[in-house]
Amino acid sequence: MASDCEPALNQAESRNPTLERYLGALREAKNDSEQFAALLLVTKAVKAGDIDAKTRRRIFDAVGFTFPNRLLTTKEAPDGCPDHVLRALGVALLACFCSDPELASHPQVLNKIPILSTFLTARGDPDDAARRSMIDDTYQCLTAVAGTPRGPRHLIAGGTVSALCQAYLGHGYGFDQALALLVGLLAAAETQCWKEAEPDLLAVLRGLSEDFQKAEDASKFELCQLLPLFLPPTTVPSECLRDLQAGLARILGSKLSSWQRNPALKLAARLAHACGSDWIPAGSSGSKFLALLVNLACVEVRLALEETGTEVKEDVVTACYALMELGIQECTRCEQSLLKEPQKVQLVSIMKEAIGAVIHYLQQVGPEKQKEPFVFASVRILGAWLAEETSSLRKEVCQLLPFLVRYAKTLYEEAEEANDLSQQVATLAISPTTPGPTWPGDALRLLLPGWCHLTVEDGPREILIKEGAPSLLCKYFLQQWELTSPGHDTSVLPDSVEIGLQTCCHIFLNLVVTAPGLIKRDACFTSLMNTLMTSLPSLVQQQGRLLLAANVATLGLLMARLLSTSPALQGTPASRGFFAAAILFLSQSHVARATPGSDQAVLALSPDYEGVWADLQELWFLGMQAFTGCVPLLPWLAPAALRSRWPQELLQLLGSVSPNSVKPEMVAAYQGVLVELARANRLCREAMRLQAGEETASHYRMAALEQCLSEP
């Protein structure tokens, strides 16, 4: 081994004999003054030429950390020596050591991060060569640390982010290096950076946004690439949004090459993803700008996806998807939309062509590509379109449905990979960091709204049933329901989970009405019914979840009518608990409310129902109708309803309010339930008579109820 090393050592000595002489002097130094002088000579030799890793290690072995540590922290310099010279020497040595990745992550380097960070903002003569050299060496040290696996975390904890922001904003020597290092740290650890230095980062964003708005040269295109990294995970300051929109309007309104236009589209997509349309001003200029954005995005999508054989710039096209999604939202917004009706009509036509290109692309996707982020992004934009529009491109959509079911099933069965895909899509679409709110982590949730519309139509529904979509939806519903069950912290769940459950319920309601035979024969619906029965009793007691409870109750009641012969519905504890909870939901919707200046109260919505009645009323009426249908099919149900005192309390409520305050559709719904209960059970009839049922029926012109109660 010695014979192998000696030629290499001799070669290093012959390449830099001066350095070897200085290292010898350093090793033989007898005091601080001699060591300091030798270090100056070593540093000079190091900067005079390149050195390899082996020589760098020999310098470290000769110097170590002790003396550089003293140089960095000393407060007393020799006479005639500026104090920053000692620090500059210490930083130069650290910079030399940090060229070795192993030394860059050494604890003796990491604990210098706070000291090094202060050097970036220290005041001094801007023309002093030694000070400039120290700043360069400081950036070299910090950059080397940032390149180690845990380096960004140490830099953030050491206050480096704030120091870099201040150095950049000061526009002193090396400020461009500060910006480059900031970009790297934000790309590596965005959340931690914003947590530690939000005010300073916002100040940098304000400066960059202002520069972007004013830029007239090629720097504006470079800023397009930088700015997405500096958008905060929280609210973007309004003055920044104004500057960014103005700068983008000037860029995108000009004739550009693709390398100039694409970064601008990606910045606009990042803003759309983070802020929706809030960053676009109202009025004519804003509507024209939005129309321009969506137009450009659609053109880019068609150019990329319609021509076979061309390489797709997936990051650009995915950014265009985000802009198309913004266009879909604005075209379907009824109030305070940025777009006028003619603009909406024009954009829908343009987006239809782009969606046609997306469908064409997805038709070419083979099994080997199904886990690619760009495919996920393409399914996402198609899902956003189908959520609002299923009448156009119907033939193409129907042809694609088998693929969509298989794709959703594949990702559902590999849920962890699906969640990772959503993060990759966010990265692909916008910036090297995760932007804004997390994108939904499964393909099925993206497709639910569109499938809800399609299950109403005969052709698409038959395809979905044939491809096994109902069974997949049942499994998905049960899996998502587990996330909301007791033992899970529902406060941390995204709203999309509950919205997804509600949309599943709507799809199942469509199938109950349009394909009742499927509900009776497919075993997955028996499992679904069991879950609905066991879940509703606790759900109706939970604050803020009334809309989901309405969906579950109504779906369960409609399914119970179809599955009435199932053993699970023959008065089992689960079935009794479910119907008791359903009665609670149906019975608590309205109350008697006193009115000033009147002796009689009026029928009014109860406080819990008022805020959601617009979304709830259709489900409530459907639930009343379904409950009415269940009574003759389940002999135990009428006595159970009587024990709950619902028929008595309902008659009492009607008797305490003015008949004029009860709308005809309410009268019909109440009469339907009361009549079926009275017909099904003699004790129910007697209880209703004791509650002045015949008189109440006469007041409300409930002829069927009045006749039923008049019979023995």
Side-chain angles (χ1 to χ4, degrees):
M1 291 292 292
S3 60
D4 292 335
C5 294
E6 285 172 5
L9 183 58
N10 293 334
Q11 183 180 2
E13 291 177 352
S14 62
R15 187 168 60 242
N16 199 339
T18 304
L19 175 62
E20 295 303 320
R21 189 167 66 253
Y22 294 161
L23 284 174
L26 181 62
R27 285 191 292 268
E28 295 170 4
K30 297 182 175 61
N31 53 47
D32 284 355
S33 297
E34 292 182 4
Q35 194 171 23
F36 177 61
L39 278 172
L40 284 174
L41 295 173
V42 168
T43 305
K44 181 179 179 181
V46 167
K47 291 190 175 184
D50 295 332
I51 57 171
D52 55 24
K54 191 174 294 184
T55 306
R56 189 182 305 115
R57 176 61 74 160
R58 292 181 63 235
I59 295 173
F60 172 72
D61 292 339
V63 177
F65 279 116
T66 303
F67 199 67
N69 289 348
R70 290 172 59 192
L71 292 172
L72 289 172
T73 57
T74 185
K75 295 182 180 179
E76 296 182 3
D79 292 340
C81 178
D83 57 356
H84 70 268
V85 171
L86 297 181
R87 291 194 294 272
L89 177 58
V91 176
L93 289 168
L94 280 185
C96 175
F97 299 160
C98 285
S99 300
D100 184 334
E102 185 178 341
L103 292 178
S105 59
H106 194 285
Q108 287 285 353
V109 172
L110 299 178
N111 65 23
K112 303 299 181 301
I113 290 173
I115 298 174
L116 292 172
S117 297
T118 63
F119 295 163
L120 300 179
T121 56
R123 296 181 178 179
D125 182 0
D127 297 322
D128 187 308
R131 186 175 296 278
R132 289 190 170 205
S133 177
M134 183 177 74
I135 291 174
D136 286 336
D137 289 336
T138 299
Y139 281 118
Q140 185 177 336
C141 291
L142 297 175
T143 302
V145 172
T148 62
R150 297 174 64 86
R153 181 183 302 179
H154 290 293
L155 291 173
I156 294 166
T160 303
V161 176
S162 289
L164 290 169
C165 290
Q166 293 165 25
Y168 174 75
L169 292 169
H171 276 66
Y173 179 76
F175 78 98
D176 52 338
Q177 298 180 71
L179 185 62
L181 187 49
L182 265 179
V183 167
L185 290 177
L186 283 167
E190 178 192 33
T191 302
Q192 293 87 341
C193 286
W194 281 101
K195 184 178 179 180
E196 290 294 326
E198 182 173 347
D200 295 304
L201 285 169
L202 286 176
V204 173
L205 174 61
R206 289 186 181 94
L208 291 173
S209 301
E210 188 175 348
D211 291 344
F212 179 61
Q213 193 271 336
K214 294 178 179 177
E216 298 290 347
D217 55 12
S219 65
K220 60 187 176 185
F221 303 115
E222 297 172 5
L223 286 168
C224 274
Q225 296 176 328
L226 285 178
L227 278 162
L229 290 157
F230 287 89
L231 295 178
T234 53
T235 305
V236 182
S238 57
E239 64 271 25
C240 296
L241 292 178
R242 284 194 300 270
D243 287 340
L244 294 173
Q245 189 275 329
L248 282 171
R250 282 211 313 276
I251 290 177
L252 294 173
S254 306
K255 192 172 183 179
L256 303 171
S257 60
S258 59
W259 73 266
Q260 295 170 320
R261 180 177 60 253
N262 291 346
L265 289 173
K266 292 171 73 172
L267 173 57
R270 176 68 170 87
L271 288 167
H273 192 76
C275 310
S277 61
D278 293 343
W279 61 289
I280 301 175
S284 175
S285 63
S287 64
K288 289 179 180 178
F289 175 71
L290 177 58
L292 173 65
L293 272 183
V294 179
N295 261 295
L296 289 172
C298 291
V299 169
E300 193 70 36
V301 168
R302 291 188 63 188
L303 287 174
L305 301 184
E306 285 182 348
E307 296 182 17
T308 55
T310 58
E311 184 180 354
V312 177
K313 295 179 179 177
E314 295 179 351
D315 57 340
V316 178
V317 176
T318 310
C320 291
Y321 287 165
L323 297 175
M324 287 175 59
E325 194 164 342
L326 178 62
I328 293 170
Q329 292 168 0
E330 285 300 314
C331 285
T332 54
R333 180 180 292 183
C334 298
E335 297 180 359
Q336 297 182 331
S337 174
L338 291 170
L339 299 170
K340 297 177 181 178
E341 202 58 37
Q343 290 174 311
K344 291 182 179 181
V345 173
Q346 183 183 19
L347 284 183
V348 167
S349 176
I350 294 169
M351 287 191 289
K352 175 184 172 182
E353 294 175 348
I355 291 296
V358 174
I359 293 174
H360 171 75
Y361 165 76
L362 289 174
Q363 287 171 336
Q364 319 303 317
V365 172
E368 73 283 357
K369 284 191 170 186
Q370 286 195 9
K371 295 180 184 178
E372 293 185 3
F374 184 65
V375 176
F376 188 92
S378 301
V379 170
R380 174 188 169 90
I381 187 59
L382 178 60
W385 173 263
L386 293 177
E388 305 296 343
E389 174 57 62
T390 56
S391 59
S392 61
L393 300 170
R394 183 175 301 179
K395 178 182 177 182
E396 293 84 351
V397 169
C398 287
Q399 290 174 344
L400 191 65
L401 278 178
F403 164 80
L404 293 176
V405 176
R406 291 194 301 271
Y407 180 77
K409 184 178 181 181
T410 298
L411 293 196
Y412 167 74
E413 291 174 348
E414 302 174 18
E416 289 187 5
E417 288 191 30
N419 187 61
D420 182 59
L421 267 181
S422 74
Q423 296 300 318
Q424 291 182 51
V425 168
T427 300
L428 177 68
I430 316 287
S431 73
T433 58
T434 303
T438 306
W439 290 29
D442 59 80
L444 194 49
R445 191 178 301 162
L446 307 176
L447 296 168
L448 288 177
W451 286 8
C452 187
H453 298 315
L454 291 170
T455 48
V456 177
E457 304 176 26
D458 292 341
R461 182 176 62 252
E462 290 174 5
I463 296 172
L464 288 169
I465 292 173
K466 180 181 177 182
E467 295 296 329
S471 176
L472 173 62
L473 287 168
C474 283
K475 293 176 184 177
Y476 177 78
F477 182 90
L478 297 177
Q479 182 243 14
Q480 292 290 295
W481 190 263
E482 281 297 313
L483 299 176
T484 69
S485 61
H488 291 79
D489 184 4
T490 56
S491 64
V492 301
L493 286 178
D495 293 340
S496 55
V497 172
E498 188 148 320
I499 293 171
L501 288 169
Q502 292 177 24
T503 310
C504 279
C505 287
H506 295 167
I507 295 174
F508 295 140
L509 286 171
N510 290 341
L511 293 175
V512 166
V513 174
T514 60
L518 174 70
I519 308 299
K520 293 178 180 179
R521 69 174 180 266
D522 198 321
C524 70
F525 287 102
T526 302
S527 300
L528 176 62
M529 185 70 214
N530 290 335
T531 298
L532 298 179
M533 288 195 298
T534 57
S535 303
L536 186 62
S538 62
L539 184 60
V540 293
Q541 305 289 343
Q542 297 175 28
Q543 290 290 327
R545 308 190 75 191
L546 185 56
L547 195 53
L548 181 60
N551 278 276
V552 170
T554 304
L555 175 62
L557 290 169
L558 284 167
M559 289 181 61
R561 196 168 58 179
L562 296 175
L563 302 174
S564 59
T565 59
S566 167
L569 285 164
Q570 306 310 310
T572 61
S575 63
R576 290 180 180 274
F578 169 78
F579 276 94
I583 288 173
L584 194 64
F585 159 67
L586 295 171
S587 65
Q588 292 187 340
S589 61
H590 290 78
V591 294
R593 182 172 298 167
T595 55
S598 175
D599 294 337
Q600 265 194 314
V602 297
L603 189 70
L605 287 168
S606 60
D608 289 343
Y609 286 67
E610 278 183 317
V612 293
W613 186 249
D615 298 317
L616 191 90
Q617 60 177 332
E618 187 176 348
L619 290 168
W620 187 87
F621 281 108
L622 196 56
M624 291 286 285
Q625 182 182 348
F627 185 92
T628 300
C630 288
V631 172
L633 299 174
L634 301 171
W636 60 269
L637 184 53
L642 182 62
R643 285 192 296 273
S644 74
R645 293 193 54 79
W646 185 27
Q648 301 96 309
E649 291 173 357
L650 180 51
L651 287 169
Q652 183 180 4
L653 174 65
L654 291 173
S656 66
V657 301
S658 167
N660 293 331
S661 69
V662 186
K663 296 179 179 179
E665 60 267 26
M666 295 293 299
V667 173
Y670 285 147
Q671 178 176 223
V673 169
L674 291 170
V675 166
E676 287 301 331
L677 290 173
R679 287 174 177 169
N681 186 271
R682 177 182 58 83
L683 294 177
C684 280
R685 291 195 297 275
E686 292 178 359
M688 290 182 196
R689 292 191 190 107
L690 291 174
Q691 197 63 50
E694 291 177 272
E695 182 181 350
T696 301
S698 176
H699 285 161
Y700 284 90
R701 299 181 181 179
M702 295 179 177
L705 178 60
E706 192 173 4
Q707 181 181 352
C708 185
L709 293 180
S710 66
E711 297 172 355

